[in-house]
Amino acid sequence: MRKASGSEGLPTTDGLPSHPVWMPLASLAWEGKVRQRGVGSSSTPQHRSSSQRLSSSQRLSSSQRLSSSQVSPPLSVSPPLSVSPPLRSLLLSASLLLSGLSSSQRLSSSQVSPPLSMAAAVSKEGLVIPLIDYAKFVDGTPSERAATADSILKGFQTAGFIYLKNHSIPADVLAHTFARSADFFDQPLDDKLKLGWTTAAANRGYSSPGREKVTQLKDGKDVDNLRNAAPDLKESYEMGRDSNAQFANPWPGEEGKLKGFRADMKDFFDRCKSMHQEVMRAIGLGMGLGEDFFNTFVDVGDNTLRLLHYPAVKADVFRINPGQVRAGEHSDYGSITLLFQDSRGGLQVKSPTGHFVDATPIEGTVVVNAGDLLARWSNDTIKSTVHRVVEPPQKEGVEYPPRYSIAYFCNPNFACHIETLPGTYASEAEKKYEGINSGQYLIQRLTATY
Ligand SMILES: O=C(O)CCC(=O)C(=O)O
Ligand SMILES: [Fe+2]
C-alpha cells in the first residue's frame, strides 16, 4: 500500500500500516486540501458543512482508537505494533495533542468502555475479517457511529472483507428471499433457459451451470479453456434495476409457486440498495471524506441482484478432478458486494499468504466485500480480495446437499466518472489509475467472463 507523504513512517496507534485517512495529522492536511481545491465539487454549503463535520468526528474516532488500545487487551484484528513502548506512548501523546483532546477527555467513561464491534469472524493465515455490529453505525451515538465506520473501512483496507451483524435486512425477509430463490431454481430447465442471460450491457437473466466462468484470467481463450476443464457447479439468475428503460429484467411467469416473485425481488433489491448507500456513508466517514461524499455516486442503484444455486453434487466429483470447485476464484467488479450465504459453507477468501481460508457462515450476518472498482477508486488503499466456493467443509457422505447464496453486486452509478479518491494520494504522481466511467468498466469486466 502506498503511503502519502507527510505520514510516512508513523505507525497508527493500533499497529496497522499508516495511512493518511487514519491520522489526525493527515486529517488536518486533508481539511486544508478541501479548502484549497474545493473538493466534493465544490462550494455548496452542503459540501462545506460535511467537511467541517468530518473534522470533529475524525478527532473523536481517533481518540477512541487510542483509548481502546490503551485500556484493554488488543483484539485479534490488530497485528502487533512494531514500535517500542516508549516510542509508542510518545506517538500516542503526539496524536492526542494533534487530535485536540485533553487527557481528561481521553479518560472519559465512554472511552473506557469495551471497544465497539472489534471481534474477528475469521482469523487465519494473516487474514483477519472483522465481525462488526452494524447497528452501532445505523442507530448508535455519534461516537459509536464514527468508531464503527472506522472498523468498516479498516476491514476493507486490510482484508477486503467484513462480516456485519445486526444489519439492515430483517431475518424473515432474508429467509423468504432464500425460499423464493429455491422456488425459482426448481423450475424446469427449459423454462429457466427462456430467461437466459444475454449481454454484459444488460447483465440480467439466467445462467445455466458452466455458463459463467468467474476467474482472474483476462484473456477470453484462457477463460474458455478453464471453463471446459472444470465448469463451475452453479446456476444463477440476475436482476438489475427494474426501472431501467433500456434493459428489462426477464421475469419468470407468476404462476404457481412463483406468484409474487417479481415484487419480492424488487423489495429485496431496494433494501440492499439502501444498505449499499449506508455502507458507502460509513466508508466516506471512515475515509475522512464526510458521510455524504458518496451519496451522488450511489443513488441510482445500478446494481445486480444475483440468486445462486449450487446443486447437490456427488462428493467424488471433487476427487476425480482436483481442480473442481463450485465457483472459481475471482474478485468482484464493482464497489461492494453484499453476500448472504446459507449454512452449508464452502466460501473461501484468499489470505495474504496465498492460502484460501474458510469464510464460515455466521448466522444473522452478511459478508460484505469490496470490489475491484472501489479498490481502483481508492488508489488500492481498499482491497478487492480473491474468493471462491469449494466443496463444503464437512466431508462426510457420498453427496453434498445443495447450497444457496444471494449476492448483491453494488456499483457506482453507471453514468459516474470514477477518479482517484481525494486523500488517497499526496501528489498526482501517486495516482495509480486513470479516471474511468463506471458503466464501461463493468461491461468490460463482464464481457471477459461470459
Ligand atoms: O456463493 C457465494 O458464496 C459466493 C458467490 C460469489 O462470490 C459471486 O457470485 O461473486
Ligand atoms: Fe464474488
Side-chain angles (χ1 to χ4, degrees):
M1 192 186 297
R2 276 172 199 266
K3 296 172 189 167
S5 63
S7 58
E8 285 290 349
L10 275 180
T12 55
T13 51
D14 49 9
L16 288 168
S18 81
H19 182 276
V21 297
W22 294 103
M23 300 299 295
L25 180 60
S27 83
L28 295 177
W30 161 233
E31 282 165 46
K33 227 174 192 175
V34 171
R35 278 194 294 275
Q36 267 168 34
R37 302 181 40 175
V39 176
S41 66
S42 86
S43 45
T44 59
Q46 199 192 351
H47 281 109
R48 268 204 303 276
S49 71
S50 64
S51 66
Q52 278 154 4
R53 256 205 318 281
L54 141 75
S55 59
S56 59
S57 62
Q58 258 200 322
R59 278 197 288 272
L60 190 58
S61 64
S62 308
S63 71
Q64 281 181 322
R65 268 199 307 283
L66 294 174
S67 63
S68 56
S69 64
Q70 281 172 318
V71 296
S72 55
L75 284 144
S76 50
V77 286
S78 302
L81 265 179
S82 57
V83 292
S84 64
L87 176 56
R88 182 183 185 201
S89 81
L90 198 69
L91 289 166
L92 291 175
S93 320
S95 294
L96 283 165
L97 270 177
L98 285 163
S99 75
L101 288 174
S102 70
S103 57
S104 62
Q105 282 171 308
R106 218 183 322 155
L107 295 174
S108 74
S109 61
S110 69
Q111 289 166 335
V112 201
S113 57
L116 306 159
S117 45
M118 293 288 276
V122 173
S123 180
K124 206 173 173 187
E125 295 287 344
L127 177 75
V128 182
I129 305 183
L131 173 61
I132 297 170
D133 186 351
Y134 191 59
K136 295 251 165 57
F137 180 71
V138 178
D139 301 318
T141 62
S143 65
E144 286 172 332
R145 190 171 169 75
T148 307
D150 281 354
S151 304
I152 288 173
L153 177 63
K154 192 183 286 182
F156 288 138
Q157 289 172 327
T158 55
F161 271 74
I162 58 176
Y163 281 57
L164 296 178
K165 64 177 181 179
N166 298 323
H167 58 74
S168 322
I169 315 287
D172 59 338
V173 170
L174 207 49
H176 182 68
T177 312
F178 268 92
R180 305 256 62 188
S181 171
D183 291 342
F184 177 89
F185 290 114
D186 245 8
Q187 297 177 93
L189 181 61
D190 279 352
D191 290 356
K192 292 185 278 189
L193 287 172
K194 284 182 200 136
L195 313 172
W197 191 97
T198 49
T199 62
N203 194 26
R204 286 159 165 80
Y206 173 73
S207 301
S208 51
R211 167 87 201 249
E212 181 206 21
K213 184 71 211 176
V214 284
T215 167
Q216 292 303 95
L217 303 175
K218 298 273 163 13
D219 183 320
K221 243 210 232 116
D222 291 344
V223 175
D224 279 347
N225 291 340
L226 194 66
R227 183 189 283 119
N228 295 335
D232 283 357
L233 299 174
K234 68 169 197 228
E235 54 179 345
S236 63
Y237 175 66
E238 275 158 3
M239 293 147 277
R241 179 162 62 84
D242 208 37
S243 55
N244 187 319
Q246 207 183 348
F247 301 109
N249 283 312
W251 293 108
E254 294 250 332
E255 307 82 37
K257 281 203 289 193
L258 289 176
K259 193 166 180 339
F261 179 83
R262 177 176 176 164
D264 287 347
M265 290 303 142
K266 281 172 67 175
D267 172 67
F268 191 75
F269 189 101
D270 289 342
R271 289 173 187 271
C272 291
K273 176 186 166 189
S274 300
M275 195 167 163
H276 173 223
Q277 291 173 306
E278 236 167 41
V279 172
M280 294 310 291
R281 293 178 77 79
I283 294 174
L285 187 60
M287 290 186 85
L289 297 169
E291 59 178 285
D292 295 334
F293 181 88
F294 291 106
N295 288 358
T296 54
F297 286 95
V298 295
D299 54 343
V300 173
D302 283 327
N303 307 322
T304 299
L305 169 58
R306 173 190 276 178
L307 307 178
L308 279 148
H309 172 221
Y310 302 88
V313 56
K314 296 257 181 295
D316 61 10
V317 165
F318 297 98
R319 314 285 161 262
I320 293 162
N321 184 351
Q324 182 65 64
V325 289
R326 276 181 151 172
E329 62 182 86
H330 66 281
S331 53
D332 295 346
Y333 305 149
S335 53
I336 58 169
T337 303
L338 311 178
L339 180 62
F340 304 92
Q341 45 173 341
D342 69 11
S343 58
R344 300 287 183 208
L347 175 66
Q348 293 186 326
V349 178
K350 199 169 191 176
S351 76
T353 57
H355 293 89
F356 277 98
V357 172
D358 288 334
T360 305
I362 301 180
E363 205 186 334
T365 65
V366 54
V367 173
V368 187
N369 60 293
D372 296 341
L373 189 51
L374 181 57
R376 177 181 174 126
W377 206 358
S378 74
N379 215 20
D380 288 338
T381 58
I382 284 174
K383 288 184 183 156
S384 173
T385 305
V386 169
H387 52 285
R388 67 181 187 182
V389 181
V390 296
E391 63 176 313
Q394 280 89 5
K395 304 270 187 288
E396 74 265 15
V398 289
E399 187 173 273
Y400 293 124
R403 174 177 186 268
Y404 291 87
S405 66
I406 300 174
Y408 187 78
F409 300 102
C410 308
N411 302 299
N413 303 339
F414 287 160
C416 282
H417 186 70
I418 300 302
E419 266 294 342
T420 313
L421 286 169
T424 62
Y425 57 94
S427 67
E428 287 297 309
E430 283 191 1
K431 283 192 187 178
K432 294 167 82 172
Y433 304 100
E434 297 289 307
I436 195 164
N437 168 266
S438 166
Q440 275 168 10
Y441 177 83
L442 193 77
I443 290 175
Q444 252 175 39
R445 298 296 306 273
L446 283 167
T447 304
T449 50
Y450 279 87

